[in-house]
Amino acid sequence: MTIERRPRLGWAGLFNLSFGFFGIQIGFALQNANMSRIFQSLGTSLDDLPALWVAAPLTGLLVQPVIGHLSDRTWLGRLGRRRPYFLAGAILAAVALFLMPEAPVLLAAALLLWMLDAALNVSMEPFRAFVGDMLDKDQHAAGYGVQTAFIGAGAVVGSIFPWVLEHLGVSNVAPPGQIPDSVRYAFFFGGGALLASVLWTVATTREYSPDQMARFHGAEEGDDGTALRRLAARDPGDGGWWIAAGSAVIVLVAMLDLEKEVLLLGGLLASYGLASAVAVARARAGRAPGMLGHIVGDFGGMPPIMKRLALVQFFSWSALFIMWINTTPVVTRDFFAAPDPASAAFQRGANWVDVLFATYNGVAAISALLLLPFLSRRIGKVRTHVVGLTCGAAGYASFLVIRDPRWLLLSEVGIGIAWSTILAMPYAILASTLPARKLGVYMGLFNVFVVVPQLLVATVMGSIMKRFFPGEPIWTMAFAAATLLLAAFAMLRVREETA
């Protein structure tokens, strides 16, 4: 069979392809910049914030591989392969954004965070594979660069909107137990913007049919046969090691009196071990692998370059999640001297966090379009990512020496450069190496290494801070800086020429 090439897309085509990510990132930015603020306003303590944030990464861990697997196998006529998931996720996320600021109690807010993050993941995960589906290899870097620019632009809008509303006269204070109008209206706007932008991508793009995709990639081996062989070749006892590791974590929680949220980590390790044991047993008995078997088999069969990049992702996203959880308490306590969520100074500090988050996302959007193409052409994608991660580490470390909150804008420049490379470089390196028929599930599995570090931070960081730095959240930024440096060193092990 003659292998055909996809038609090249111009800037309008690249715009339409990723514009939906603009709205999705508005939703993520509102969540990241304001959920700690909402939880504290509804009465939670600083020590309990990591536990409440567990919902977000846990949802991504469960949702992304499943949605990737399903979207690889979906074809709904004119609606296509990935777009049904964009649309369904956008509708549910918009509903969650509309309801979140009206949450009457802390439990309702936590449940809505779970719903919001699940819906955002349903929309987001297929967008990564969508670029690979629609573009030829020589346009992958451009496609992910445009996608990163929309992520940055959407995050700027979502992060800064409460601050803008305050300066337009909308109230930024509220009685104890209530959410300020500036935050409420920002969430309402975010729900509408998310839905509108995803509808734009759904309406202006047409996916390639299964027959067309076959002409682009040639004949490929049946998926069931590959999964069965991978699973049947695995040691049946491998799952037992994961179960033992999970059990050990649970025992350590009891022995060392760790935070109870760490039990979740042990449960996840044991659950993966059980799922692996079941999948291997089914394969050795000659039974069809099913979705569980496919996901477990694909996880064990990741290409080598994906495994090396997974370690980089692990450290990178650990640092990011530390920032998202702790920037509000760090800035309000250490730069505005306002630990009380009911005070006007706390709300001013929280709005300044919105400005800081908008800054790093704006820098990321500019970096993705201007700096990254320049650097990657001259020093390669791997070294470009190393440079970005090092800039981010410097940005985090500067929180410990800066005293004027205005100078934190300079810190966010380094963090923004890191954010742009984290969002673009690993995916640009991977896109040309993954098999087309499994692009969705592999992108979902790759995002496991985005989610697992967030779970570790949410479950373990609270224990560390309580034990060694009680009431001093500023030290979380030192952890974030060190973790990004580890990511940079891990990136030096990646060999771009093997892709």
Side-chain angles (χ1 to χ4, degrees):
M1 176 186 293
T2 302
I3 304 299
E4 299 180 10
R5 298 194 65 179
R6 296 170 181 80
R8 289 183 63 83
L9 294 184
W11 281 108
L14 294 174
F15 178 98
N16 293 337
L17 204 64
S18 290
F19 184 65
F21 232 127
F22 174 73
I24 292 171
Q25 199 59 36
I26 289 176
F28 271 119
L30 286 167
Q31 170 185 298
N32 292 336
N34 293 284
M35 284 314 302
S36 289
R37 177 183 189 174
I38 289 174
F39 287 149
Q40 287 184 275
S41 296
L42 291 175
T44 192
S45 69
L46 175 64
D47 292 335
D48 290 333
L49 282 179
L52 290 168
W53 272 87
V54 163
L58 177 60
T59 303
L61 180 66
L62 299 174
V63 167
Q64 292 208 19
V66 171
I67 294 299
H69 174 87
L70 293 175
S71 69
D72 282 340
R73 290 158 174 77
T74 295
W75 184 254
L76 296 181
R78 290 179 60 84
L79 199 53
R81 186 185 192 190
R82 315 290 183 186
R83 290 180 300 157
Y85 299 92
F86 304 165
L87 187 57
I91 293 170
L92 291 174
V95 171
L97 286 167
F98 292 144
L99 295 178
M100 181 72 74
E102 303 300 318
V105 293
L106 185 61
L107 177 60
L111 292 175
L112 283 168
L113 173 61
W114 197 301
M115 175 181 169
L116 174 62
D117 207 80
L120 290 172
N121 276 285
V122 169
S123 279
M124 181 189 72
E125 198 285 330
F127 260 105
R128 294 293 191 191
F130 193 46
V131 171
D133 289 343
M134 301 297 292
L135 299 177
D136 224 35
K137 292 181 180 181
D138 62 348
Q139 283 200 292
H140 282 163
Y144 287 111
V146 171
Q147 192 174 88
T148 299
F150 274 127
I151 291 172
V156 168
V157 174
S159 296
I160 206 171
F161 208 71
W163 182 85
V164 171
L165 289 175
E166 180 193 10
H167 284 75
L168 291 175
V170 177
S171 175
N172 190 48
V173 295
Q178 295 185 29
I179 310 302
D181 284 346
S182 59
V183 176
R184 292 175 60 245
Y185 297 159
F187 271 69
F188 299 157
F189 163 80
L194 188 156
L195 189 57
S197 65
V198 171
L199 284 171
W200 179 279
T201 289
V202 169
T204 59
T205 57
R206 291 291 180 269
E207 297 185 65
Y208 294 116
S209 70
D211 289 341
Q212 289 173 304
M213 293 294 287
R215 293 199 296 272
F216 296 145
H217 298 285
E220 294 180 317
E221 182 182 3
D223 206 20
D224 279 1
T226 303
L228 275 173
R229 283 199 304 274
R230 283 178 180 167
L231 289 169
R234 292 175 62 170
D235 185 339
D238 286 349
W241 290 108
W242 289 98
I243 295 172
S247 302
V249 170
I250 293 170
V251 171
L252 286 173
V253 171
M255 291 177 58
L256 302 179
D257 194 29
L258 300 177
E259 295 298 306
K260 295 299 182 285
E261 293 83 21
V262 184
L263 291 171
L264 178 62
L265 177 62
L268 287 171
L269 292 172
S271 297
Y272 175 74
L274 179 61
S276 179
V278 170
V280 170
R282 286 174 58 90
R284 293 171 75 88
R287 300 175 65 184
M291 182 170 65
L292 176 65
H294 279 295
I295 292 174
V296 170
D298 291 333
F299 187 78
M302 290 187 297
I305 194 171
M306 185 172 169
K307 294 178 181 178
R308 291 192 289 271
L309 283 168
L311 183 62
V312 180
Q313 292 288 87
F314 178 87
F315 289 127
S316 301
W317 285 85
S318 294
L320 291 169
F321 203 62
I322 289 172
M323 175 185 71
W324 290 332
I325 291 179
N326 293 289
T327 300
T328 294
V330 166
V331 171
T332 54
R333 281 173 173 258
D334 289 87
F335 293 90
F336 284 80
D340 180 7
S343 68
F346 177 93
Q347 297 299 341
R348 286 197 300 273
N351 270 11
W352 188 243
V353 172
D354 291 340
V355 175
L356 296 177
F357 279 24
T359 300
Y360 89 74
N361 282 293
V363 169
I366 296 169
S367 172
L369 292 177
L370 300 178
L371 181 61
L372 299 193
F374 174 83
L375 286 179
S376 61
R377 284 195 302 267
R378 284 158 179 77
I379 63 175
K381 298 183 183 71
V382 169
R383 290 190 180 92
T384 297
H385 198 19
V386 172
V387 169
L389 294 169
T390 305
C391 289
Y396 287 134
S398 68
F399 270 73
L400 279 75
V401 296
I402 289 174
R403 294 294 176 263
D404 187 334
R406 291 173 295 182
W407 280 102
L408 292 177
L409 293 170
L410 184 60
S411 306
E412 300 301 323
V413 172
I415 295 169
I417 294 172
W419 182 226
S420 70
T421 65
I422 289 168
L423 291 174
M425 290 298 104
Y427 296 98
I429 293 169
L430 275 181
S432 300
T433 69
L434 299 175
R437 73 181 186 279
K438 303 178 81 64
L439 191 57
V441 70
Y442 271 135
M443 286 295 186
L445 289 170
F446 190 56
N447 279 305
V448 167
F449 301 99
V450 169
V451 172
V452 168
Q454 297 180 49
L455 283 172
L456 282 172
V457 169
T459 56
V460 175
M461 183 57 70
S463 296
I464 293 173
M465 294 305 296
K466 274 186 179 180
R467 189 173 295 270
F468 298 106
F469 306 103
E472 299 181 80
I474 187 67
W475 291 105
T476 60
M477 294 302 172
F479 281 96
T483 305
L484 269 195
L485 287 178
L486 289 174
F489 284 118
M491 192 65 195
L492 292 173
R493 297 179 59 249
V494 176
R495 294 291 177 264
E496 189 177 336
E497 63 271 16
T498 64

